[in-house]
Amino acid sequence: MRIDYSPDSLGAGAFYRLLTAVVVPRPIAWVSTLTADGRTANLAPHSFFTVACTDPPIVQFTSVGRKDSLRNAEETGEFVVNVAPEPLFEQINDTATDFPREEGEFDAVGIEREPSLRVKPPRVAASPVALECRLHATLGLGNSTVVFGRVVHAAVHEDVLVDGHPDVRQLRPLSRLGKNEWGTIGEIRDLARIPYHDRRKG
């Protein structure tokens, strides 16, 4: 027997908690940005994140409300998506704190940064992969804004490459689940797609 839930009767907050408990696991975009004056480097995790297009390469993350990541990306036209690795679990969680905009998370949490190659916002030095992005577009949806960024450069640490390709076992990416739960990669299963002509032969 199923239990039925209506967004209208349940309310936005309760239905949000339901959605984030069932749309799992969600990869994390650890987004670094700069304020327009260039003085403050902000860093925040966003768990509504995915690839939006492959050619040109565009990624997207969603800001629920007008977060610093959104404001800075709009004002400067740039941001960096850093992969959120398991060893930095506590620091990633700490950067989700609602620090004032003028108090950058890099400094507040004590996270080492490194310069980006194609954009001004810094990268997280200890992140295995950084995707440097220029703002492509934003799309407002209710209380949220989807931010699309064209990837202009990818910096991958050589330690996570296996045969020249990023290996998920080395990346050790974190994901968000429901409530305050986080996920790790766990068991990995490898299964190739079956072309249609091969399936017909069977």
Side-chain angles (χ1 to χ4, degrees), residues 4 11 26 33 35 41 49-50 55 61 79 93 99-100 110 129 133 143 179 189 195:
D4 298 315
R26 299 185 307 280
T33 57
T35 52
F49 164 61
T50 191
D55 187 13
F61 73 90
F79 62 92
N93 187 60
F99 290 101
V129 179
C133 301
N143 69 344
K179 299 180 286 188
R189 302 177 67 180

Side-chain angles (χ1 to χ4, degrees), residues 61-156:
F61 73 90
T62 297
S63 174
V64 179
R66 292 198 56 78
K67 305 281 180 63
D68 292 340
S69 302
L70 168 62
R71 293 174 180 172
N72 292 344
E74 286 179 331
E75 292 177 7
T76 67
E78 297 180 335
F79 62 92
V80 178
V81 173
N82 304 273
V83 166
E86 186 180 345
L88 299 183
F89 170 60
E90 293 185 355
Q91 292 96 320
I92 295 164
N93 187 60
D94 284 347
T95 61
T97 300
D98 56 344
F99 290 101
R101 191 180 185 190
E102 64 276 6
E103 186 174 353
E105 289 81 1
F106 278 97
D107 296 331
V109 177
I111 296 173
E112 183 181 357
R113 70 187 84 181
E114 67 181 23
S116 295
L117 185 67
R118 298 282 304 278
V119 298
K120 292 181 179 178
R123 307 187 298 226
V124 174
S127 173
V129 179
L131 304 176
E132 300 178 13
C133 301
R134 293 208 172 100
L135 184 64
H136 176 76
T138 60
L139 175 63
L141 299 168
N143 69 344
S144 302
T145 303
V146 186
V147 181
F148 298 92
R150 180 166 181 164
V151 181
V152 295
H153 182 72
V156 183

Side-chain angles (χ1 to χ4, degrees), residues 180-200:
N180 291 321
E181 300 162 338
W182 299 63
T184 56
I185 57 171
E187 179 186 1
I188 298 172
R189 302 177 67 180
D190 197 331
L191 182 64
R193 296 180 184 177
I194 303 173
Y196 179 66
H197 64 84
D198 288 344
R199 183 181 295 276
R200 291 189 66 189

Side-chain angles (χ1 to χ4, degrees), residues 50-60 148-151:
T50 191
V51 176
C53 182
T54 61
D55 187 13
I58 294 174
V59 294
Q60 69 179 72
F148 298 92
R150 180 166 181 164
V151 181

